[in-house]
Amino acid sequence: MKTIAILGTLDTKGEEHAFVAELIRQRGHETLLIDVGTLGDPTVAPDVPRADIIGDQQFADRGAAVAAMAEAAAEFCAKLVAEKKIDGIISLGGGGGTAIGTAVMRALPVGFPKLMVSTLAASESAPSYMGVKDVTMMPSIVDVAGLNCISRPIFANAAGAICGMVETARPVAEDNPVIVASMFGNTTDCVNHAKGILESAGYEVLVFHATGTGGRTMESLIETGLVAGVLDLTTTEWADEHVGGILGAGPARLEAAARNGVPAVIAPGCLDMVNFGEPDSVPAQFAGRNFYHHNPQVTLMRTSADECLALGKILAEKINLSEGFVKVLLPQGGISVTSQSGGPFHDRIADEALFASLKAGLRGDIRVEEFNCAINDPQFAEVAARALLDQLA
Amino acid sequence: MKTIAILGTLDTKGEEHAFVAELIRQRGHETLLIDVGTLGDPTVAPDVPRADIIGDQQFADRGAAVAAMAEAAAEFCAKLVAEKKIDGIISLGGGGGTAIGTAVMRALPVGFPKLMVSTLAASESAPSYMGVKDVTMMPSIVDVAGLNCISRPIFANAAGAICGMVETARPVAEDNPVIVASMFGNTTDCVNHAKGILESAGYEVLVFHATGTGGRTMESLIETGLVAGVLDLTTTEWADEHVGGILGAGPARLEAAARNGVPAVIAPGCLDMVNFGEPDSVPAQFAGRNFYHHNPQVTLMRTSADECLALGKILAEKINLSEGFVKVLLPQGGISVTSQSGGPFHDRIADEALFASLKAGLRGDIRVEEFNCAINDPQFAEVAARALLDQLA
């Protein structure tokens, strides 16, 4: 017997969630009915009243109430999962309910069963509701507004699906331990070479492209505890995040490995570049800067020495959060294909500003090694892979 | 014991589908492994080889092969469902696999258990893969490329979810029979009044906004066989479809009720208007036409007499497909708020062109009634509701 959380705005959608709860109990599971309504009184009795989540706060408008409830419910449910009090979660909703339900689900680990039945499942906003998590989305087809001959079979499918998820044993296998790595076209030689070395040593290497989504997904996997080591050689997303490019990965990039004590080897790969789309899409404020037209849809801008100073400081702050092993490797000969000698972004002064502020900002106990080669030299990849392997051995 | 179809490109993703098949069999269900690969030989033995689906056709490129396979597999699986040979379907895929898997699922009835595990679940293209069907989408997080500590729990969740869906009995209930109705802001008074009458008579009325998606969803529900009657008083999507507005519902709008013999009452509601977005979005070819600024984001254009002639002809062609009861009601006093007397789109000549060509095009046995009132007059709503009730009684 498992326990399944049923989360919903029980002021307007009590009947629908109660229907799903009953089907789940008929299959022999416990249910925990959580009210996240923000308007009227719940129409069915919850196991967790909204006051347990958000107290007696009052809100100026519905938008503020939904946002606050989403945040509070996410924290509440993440705690339930951490304490192993629930084995799966399901929610049904329209606009507000989907915002709250998926905010909760995005706060839970990958692999934890989560199912959202939503009027917005096939809408353009669905990707932002799913984020980088395995939020399974089932379209409600009709409004989540009562039980009828359309909603009843769909809700029954949903109840069955979440039960089936919690009932299925996770097959245990002698998986090779997983290493995650960050890559860009401009660090492909480096990461592929290191990947080969790690795989030969019996690891599985999952590579994420540093596209913002890639970095966020990698961070979210590290959070699951399923990752043995991190080869973060392409930390470029911080350039976009700081300067204002289009591929930023948010302010928490680089934190997951640090905070969870997952061994990491880090290099400032591709921090010479900020990503924009077509040339016309570059904001006017950057007129006169050094651009490289990677392809018709990708325009790269060289980071300045000032920006590199700031980026070194940011990287140091994040790396200083580390609770486990971390090593920083600096390729003096260039941090990408474009910035190595002869490349369009070659700028020794900017690179040196980056390295200097990074070194100056790091905690005294964190090891930094400098190499007289470019990031894509086989020698650099070998040192990076060996540094991680030594730690994991 | 149920039978679950497992559909996949077994040339590149045999191992992953075999893993899911094994978990499903462990729960006691039969599996039917269907190969829809288009490149190399399958890496695991399918129950249905690709030749059974698509013969020995050869294709010029991968895109053509995927498109042809999607179409053929959709037809093959729809037949399996119609013959009750499978109870659910699951597929795992990247780009090509998602295109094929979801094309199949979109061809199956609402309520039939269907689950797609996809690298594209949270992508911007996900809505087009789901269409108007209840295609449940589970993000794969990492590539569907081998079994590892990330993909294994996700695939196990997926296997569990599809098993849970097919295992859950559809609760039988004394549902009120369902009537679907089409509405726009400009026919709200009419449809709401009719809805009240139908509900008092013991029907449940599901209202769909004539936004293209709304009409397509309504048509897809009619296809399920779960709809007792259709009150299609807002057939406006044909104006956008024919003239080139933004809310067309595709060329099959109005066909589902006709082809499936579902009783329908039809009026040419809101065929006076074509929908565009902000004023700047109106194509240059329409300069000089009669526009009405419904709100900052919605610009309406009056249909011309010529366009109305064509629209009447299209409606007649669609209605002539009817295999069951159908009645056409014409409100001489205006087909929307905007085109009734005093409204910005009042155009008696255009309306008359619409009515005349519709009447001239209809099969001789199809009843048409004309009323000397506008579509939103209570009298019109009452006649429409009663006409449908009389037939359903």
Side-chain angles (χ1 to χ4, degrees):
Chain A
M1 193 184 65
K2 305 280 188 170
T3 301
I4 296 173
I6 301 162
L7 182 109
T9 54
L10 302 185
D11 43 2
T12 58
K13 302 190 190 308
E15 179 188 20
E16 300 81 359
H17 287 87
F19 173 80
V20 165
E22 177 57 26
L23 286 178
I24 291 173
R25 284 191 297 266
Q26 281 174 15
R27 285 184 68 129
H29 299 294
E30 295 261 10
T31 56
L32 187 73
L33 190 57
I34 302 174
D35 182 22
V36 290
T38 54
L39 301 170
D41 291 329
T43 61
V44 297
D47 299 307
V48 178
R50 70 184 71 164
D52 286 7
I53 297 170
I54 204 166
D56 58 357
Q57 292 181 59
Q58 300 295 316
F59 299 97
D61 58 36
R62 182 164 178 272
V66 165
M69 181 59 89
E71 192 181 335
E75 196 179 325
F76 185 87
C77 291
K79 192 156 170 281
L80 289 178
V81 172
E83 293 169 352
K84 299 190 188 305
K85 289 185 174 160
I86 58 173
D87 303 290
I89 186 166
I90 184 172
S91 183
L92 326 173
T98 299
I100 297 169
T102 57
V104 169
M105 293 176 195
R106 291 195 305 274
L108 306 181
V110 167
F112 184 85
K114 41 184 100 73
L115 177 62
M116 184 79 224
V117 182
S118 175
T119 58
L120 300 174
S123 75
E124 286 178 15
S125 51
S128 65
Y129 288 123
M130 299 164 95
V132 296
K133 288 294 173 68
D134 54 338
V135 178
T136 299
M137 276 276 205
M138 182 182 284
S140 65
I141 303 296
V142 291
D143 269 353
V144 179
L147 301 173
N148 54 55
C149 70
I150 310 300
S151 65
R152 198 173 267 115
I154 288 175
F155 296 166
N157 275 341
I162 193 69
C163 288
M165 283 196 235
V166 302
E167 289 161 9
T168 300
R170 300 288 167 271
V172 283
E174 285 301 321
D175 280 326
N176 288 336
V178 165
I179 289 172
V180 295
S182 55
M183 188 167 91
F184 237 6
N186 267 301
T187 53
T188 295
D189 285 351
C190 169
V191 175
N192 278 347
H193 190 67
K195 181 171 186 274
I197 294 168
L198 295 167
E199 286 173 347
S200 298
Y203 290 86
E204 176 157 53
V205 182
L206 302 179
V207 174
F208 294 87
H209 286 259
T211 57
T213 302
R216 277 194 295 264
T217 305
M218 188 178 87
E219 297 277 323
S220 113
L221 278 185
I222 296 168
E223 294 279 356
T224 63
L226 295 173
V227 171
V230 179
L231 195 69
D232 210 345
L233 303 183
T234 316
T235 47
T236 180
E237 285 154 325
W238 265 112
D240 284 42
E241 183 71 16
H242 175 68
V243 178
I246 60 173
L247 301 184
R253 179 75 173 88
L254 277 168
E255 288 189 9
R259 292 190 188 280
N260 293 280
V262 180
V265 171
I266 298 173
C270 294
L271 278 170
D272 59 315
M273 59 185 66
V274 179
N275 285 262
F276 297 103
E278 297 173 15
D280 286 351
S281 73
V282 179
Q285 70 193 91
F286 298 121
R289 295 280 297 262
N290 180 10
F291 292 101
Y292 177 68
H293 299 282
H294 184 69
N295 69 40
Q297 282 78 42
V298 177
T299 307
L300 305 178
M301 179 176 81
R302 168 73 220 204
T303 45
S304 68
D306 275 357
E307 287 159 357
C308 283
L309 271 178
L311 287 167
K313 192 155 170 272
I314 291 169
L315 253 62
E317 281 168 10
K318 297 298 175 183
I319 295 168
N320 285 346
L321 298 173
S322 293
E323 304 197 348
F325 169 82
V326 62
K327 189 179 231 179
V328 179
L329 306 181
L330 303 178
Q332 300 276 0
I335 53 180
S336 75
V337 173
T338 47
S339 67
Q340 65 197 35
S341 180
F345 282 176
H346 183 64
D347 183 341
R348 190 72 205 128
I349 292 169
D351 285 1
E352 198 45 59
L354 174 67
F355 297 157
S357 79
L358 175 52
K359 285 186 286 184
L362 283 176
R363 249 172 33 205
D365 62 315
I366 292 175
R367 291 204 39 199
V368 184
E369 291 183 17
E370 301 186 61
F371 299 88
N372 191 21
C373 65
I375 195 165
N376 287 302
D377 285 0
Q379 173 201 346
F380 187 81
E382 278 159 35
V383 169
R386 298 287 166 211
L388 192 55
L389 286 176
D390 286 350
Q391 184 58 30
L392 294 174
Chain B
M1 191 182 69
K2 305 279 188 173
T3 301
I4 296 174
I6 301 162
L7 183 110
T9 53
L10 302 185
D11 44 1
T12 58
K13 302 191 189 310
E15 179 188 20
E16 300 80 0
H17 286 88
F19 174 80
V20 164
E22 177 58 29
L23 287 179
I24 292 174
R25 284 192 296 268
Q26 281 175 14
R27 284 184 69 129
H29 299 295
E30 294 261 10
T31 55
L32 188 73
L33 190 58
I34 302 174
D35 182 22
V36 290
T38 55
L39 301 170
D41 290 329
T43 60
V44 297
D47 300 307
V48 178
R50 71 185 69 163
D52 285 8
I53 297 171
I54 204 163
D56 59 357
Q57 292 181 58
Q58 299 295 316
F59 298 95
D61 58 37
R62 182 163 178 272
V66 166
M69 181 58 89
E71 190 179 336
E75 196 178 325
F76 184 87
C77 291
K79 192 157 171 284
L80 289 178
V81 172
E83 294 170 351
K84 300 191 187 303
K85 289 185 174 160
I86 57 173
D87 302 289
I89 186 166
I90 184 171
S91 183
L92 327 173
T98 299
I100 296 169
T102 57
V104 169
M105 294 177 194
R106 290 195 306 274
L108 306 181
V110 167
F112 183 85
K114 39 182 103 67
L115 177 62
M116 185 78 223
V117 181
S118 174
T119 58
L120 300 174
S123 75
E124 286 178 15
S125 51
S128 66
Y129 288 122
M130 299 165 97
V132 297
K133 289 294 174 65
D134 53 338
V135 177
T136 299
M137 275 277 204
M138 182 181 284
S140 64
I141 303 295
V142 291
D143 269 353
V144 179
L147 301 173
N148 54 56
C149 69
I150 311 299
S151 65
R152 197 173 267 114
I154 287 175
F155 296 165
N157 276 340
I162 193 69
C163 289
M165 284 196 233
V166 302
E167 290 161 8
T168 299
R170 300 289 166 273
V172 283
E174 285 301 319
D175 279 326
N176 288 337
V178 165
I179 290 172
V180 295
S182 55
M183 188 168 91
F184 237 6
N186 267 302
T187 54
T188 295
D189 286 351
C190 170
V191 175
N192 278 347
H193 190 66
K195 180 172 187 272
I197 295 168
L198 296 167
E199 286 173 347
S200 299
Y203 290 86
E204 176 156 57
V205 182
L206 302 179
V207 174
F208 293 87
H209 287 260
T211 56
T213 302
R216 276 195 295 263
T217 306
M218 188 177 88
E219 298 277 323
S220 113
L221 278 185
I222 295 168
E223 294 279 355
T224 63
L226 295 172
V227 171
V230 179
L231 195 70
D232 209 345
L233 303 183
T234 315
T235 46
T236 180
E237 284 154 325
W238 265 112
D240 283 41
E241 184 71 17
H242 175 68
V243 179
I246 60 172
L247 301 185
R253 179 76 172 89
L254 275 168
E255 288 189 9
R259 292 190 189 280
N260 293 280
V262 180
V265 170
I266 298 173
C270 294
L271 279 170
D272 57 314
M273 62 184 65
V274 178
N275 286 262
F276 297 104
E278 297 172 15
D280 285 352
S281 74
V282 178
Q285 69 192 92
F286 298 119
R289 295 281 296 266
N290 181 8
F291 291 101
Y292 177 68
H293 300 282
H294 183 71
N295 69 39
Q297 282 78 42
V298 177
T299 307
L300 305 178
M301 179 176 82
R302 169 75 219 202
T303 46
S304 68
D306 276 357
E307 287 160 356
C308 282
L309 272 177
L311 287 167
K313 191 155 170 275
I314 291 169
L315 254 60
E317 282 168 9
K318 296 298 174 184
I319 295 168
N320 285 347
L321 299 171
S322 292
E323 304 198 346
F325 169 83
V326 64
K327 191 179 234 179
V328 178
L329 306 182
L330 304 178
Q332 300 276 359
I335 54 180
S336 75
V337 172
T338 47
S339 67
Q340 64 196 36
S341 180
F345 282 176
H346 184 63
D347 183 341
R348 188 72 203 127
I349 293 169
D351 285 1
E352 198 45 59
L354 174 67
F355 297 157
S357 78
L358 174 52
K359 284 186 288 185
L362 283 175
R363 249 171 33 204
D365 63 314
I366 291 175
R367 290 201 42 196
V368 183
E369 290 183 19
E370 301 186 61
F371 299 88
N372 192 21
C373 66
I375 197 164
N376 287 302
D377 285 359
Q379 175 202 342
F380 187 81
E382 278 158 33
V383 170
R386 297 290 166 208
L388 192 56
L389 286 176
D390 286 349
Q391 185 58 29
L392 295 173

